[in-house]
Amino acid sequence: YARYETALQNQLHRALGSLERLQRQRLGDHVPAPGRLDVTLDVAGGDVRDVTVDETDEGVSISIRDIHFKPDQAELLPGETVRLDSIARALKTVGEGTIKVVGHTADVGKPEGQYVLSVERAKAIIEEMVRRGIPAERFIYEGKGGTEPVESNETEEGRAANRRVEFIILGG
């Protein structure tokens, strides 16, 4: 776990450093630097699997893959507590910026149902973050349904990877 924790911290620092450089290039050096993310994930006694950090055009994305909800519902299963606690701790260190939560589903069933479910799940994640002390006004949400798969929907493993939630720390 310690190796995973260090790797995730390093990814977050690199991504936020790149975001800071991009903002300075766009806005000039007179703009104060965004808050630095100095996160320590508590992995002792827990499993923080399937969490990735990437830079995007919008900001820094923290993605939780294979998040476990009740089938076809927006109710999280109890086993997600450790990952959500870790993400909440990380988000609390970011500062006061806006965080967009994007829900994704596997491409199974009707697209309209996938979209509605992805929105409901994004809202459920925001509720969990608010319960963990992050102000609700910091969040916006979006549902993508099954329109942006990261894996094939032909296998259970692929569908599991596509059921995910992304937190995007908006960069500007």
Side-chain angles (χ1 to χ4, degrees):
Y1 288 125
R3 193 171 22 182
Y4 175 86
E5 177 180 5
T6 300
L8 185 57
Q9 286 177 355
N10 289 338
Q11 284 181 308
L12 287 168
H13 284 289
R14 278 194 306 275
L16 285 171
S18 295
L19 180 61
E20 177 182 331
R21 283 189 298 281
L22 288 173
Q23 285 179 323
R24 286 185 177 275
Q25 286 172 357
R26 272 188 263 151
L27 303 172
D29 284 333
H30 63 282
V31 175
R36 299 292 303 186
L37 184 58
D38 185 16
V39 60
T40 302
L41 296 177
D42 178 12
V43 295
D47 183 9
V48 284
R49 67 203 182 286
D50 298 325
V51 177
T52 61
V53 179
D54 295 297
E55 292 176 60
T56 70
D57 290 339
E58 290 183 280
V60 176
S61 172
I62 302 171
S63 182
I64 307 175
R65 290 188 180 192
D66 192 17
I67 191 151
H68 294 105
F69 289 91
K70 286 188 175 181
D72 300 319
Q73 296 180 41
E75 185 177 336
L76 283 157
L77 294 179
E80 293 301 332
T81 301
V82 170
R83 289 199 293 177
L84 293 174
D85 288 346
S86 295
I87 295 297
R89 278 192 299 278
L91 293 176
K92 286 178 183 178
T93 67
V94 173
E96 300 303 316
T98 301
I99 302 163
K100 179 163 76 170
V101 178
V102 183
H104 298 269
T105 64
D107 188 8
V108 177
K110 295 182 180 179
E112 302 82 26
Q114 295 168 17
Y115 172 76
V116 169
L117 184 59
S118 66
V119 167
E120 290 173 355
R121 287 179 172 180
K123 288 179 179 180
I125 293 294
I126 290 171
E127 288 174 13
E128 289 296 324
M129 294 296 110
V130 170
R131 280 191 198 105
R132 287 165 171 79
I134 302 174
E137 57 272 5
R138 289 193 59 199
F139 292 99
I140 59 175
Y141 63 88
E142 182 177 13
K144 296 283 190 169
T147 62
E148 295 182 1
V150 293
E151 301 279 337
S152 167
N153 281 293
E154 300 300 316
T155 67
E156 182 51 43
E157 293 81 18
R159 289 187 296 275
N162 292 331
R163 288 188 295 267
R164 68 193 189 284
V165 174
E166 296 173 348
F167 295 85
I168 302 173
I169 303 163
L170 297 178

